[in-house]
Amino acid sequence: MREVEDDAVNQRDKDGDAGDTASRRKDARRNKETLLEAAAAVFVTSGVDAPVRDIASRAGVGLGTLYRHFPTRADLIIAVYRHQVEACAEAGPALLESAPSPHDALRQWIDLFVDFLVTKHGLAAVLRSDQSGFEGLHTYFLDRLVPVCTQLLDAARAAGEIREDITALTLMRGVGNLCIGAETDPDYDARRLASVLVDGLRRPD
């Protein structure tokens, strides 16, 4: 009987340990997600050289937690880059479902894309010594986002809202050029100019 009781206690202990481990993993994932969102916001307003304590403070965690997830600034910037690429990629179909029109979905997606590009412009300087790594990220960026932008443009064209002669890559490059300098000039509104560009895609009445 005692052996049965001991086995039951041991099993409860194991179940408790497993529950604690799962809880810690969930907390770690939540902290990492919060840090990535905080870092992206700080990078947009203050650039990729912003003090990491500002990022930790915005995320509501300690510096130790930040460094545990991202030991170096380059690790953090690359993680933010990938996180924002995925966010942009996932937002496209969601916006087509929720926006009043395909053109409005495109405009909202371009706003997200602008925020991402302002962060991205600091990446080249951080990865100067790792050209192959930078090229790999650029390929990842194109592979994930060009199809999403194409889907948005195709939907707007099918709805008769925009002209026919603009490709996704052309539009993305144009928006990218409008974002140059936005990370260093607080008075420069890249979103506003990108909005003017997207409005210019509309078909004439």
Side-chain angles (χ1 to χ4, degrees):
M1 185 67 177
R2 173 55 66 88
E3 290 180 357
V4 173
E5 291 176 351
D6 288 345
D7 287 345
V9 170
N10 289 336
Q11 186 60 50
R12 283 198 298 271
D13 289 343
K14 290 179 181 177
D15 291 343
D17 290 342
D20 290 343
T21 299
S23 179
R24 286 194 294 270
R25 287 175 177 169
K26 185 177 180 180
D27 288 344
R29 286 194 297 269
R30 183 167 56 246
N31 284 339
K32 184 174 183 180
E33 185 78 12
T34 301
L35 279 166
L36 288 171
E37 292 174 357
V42 171
F43 288 165
V44 168
T45 58
S46 304
V48 295
D49 293 323
V52 291
R53 64 178 176 273
D54 291 353
I55 297 169
S57 175
R58 187 181 182 99
V61 302
L63 282 173
T65 298
L66 187 152
Y67 283 120
R68 199 156 47 243
H69 288 289
F70 311 107
T72 69
R73 184 179 294 272
D75 291 331
L76 177 60
I77 293 172
I78 291 170
V80 169
Y81 182 98
R82 287 183 171 273
H83 179 70
Q84 288 192 302
V85 167
E86 288 305 313
C88 279
E90 293 170 4
L95 287 170
L96 280 175
E97 290 288 332
S98 63
S101 70
H103 183 269
D104 196 61
L106 176 64
R107 182 186 55 76
Q108 292 182 51
W109 187 82
I110 289 295
D111 283 346
L112 296 175
F113 185 55
V114 167
D115 290 345
F116 162 71
L117 288 177
V118 173
T119 301
K120 176 180 177 288
H121 281 154
L123 186 67
V126 174
L127 294 181
R128 278 194 303 264
S129 60
D130 185 10
Q131 186 62 28
S132 62
F134 178 73
E135 290 174 355
L137 284 174
H138 185 64
T139 298
Y140 166 75
F141 155 79
L142 292 176
D143 288 346
R144 291 293 285 133
L145 296 189
V146 171
V148 176
C149 188
T150 298
Q151 181 184 16
L152 289 160
L153 287 171
D154 286 347
R157 275 193 287 263
E161 295 180 308
I162 65 171
R163 54 196 295 172
E164 300 281 341
D165 58 343
I166 297 296
T167 67
L169 190 56
T170 297
L171 175 60
M172 291 167 66
R173 283 176 171 167
V175 173
N177 287 335
L178 291 175
C179 290
I180 294 173
E183 75 276 14
T184 58
D185 184 354
D187 295 325
Y188 182 75
D189 190 348
R191 267 196 178 200
R192 174 58 183 155
L193 288 178
S195 178
V196 171
L197 176 61
V198 174
D199 285 344
L201 296 177
R202 284 191 176 276
R203 295 182 65 175
D205 295 331

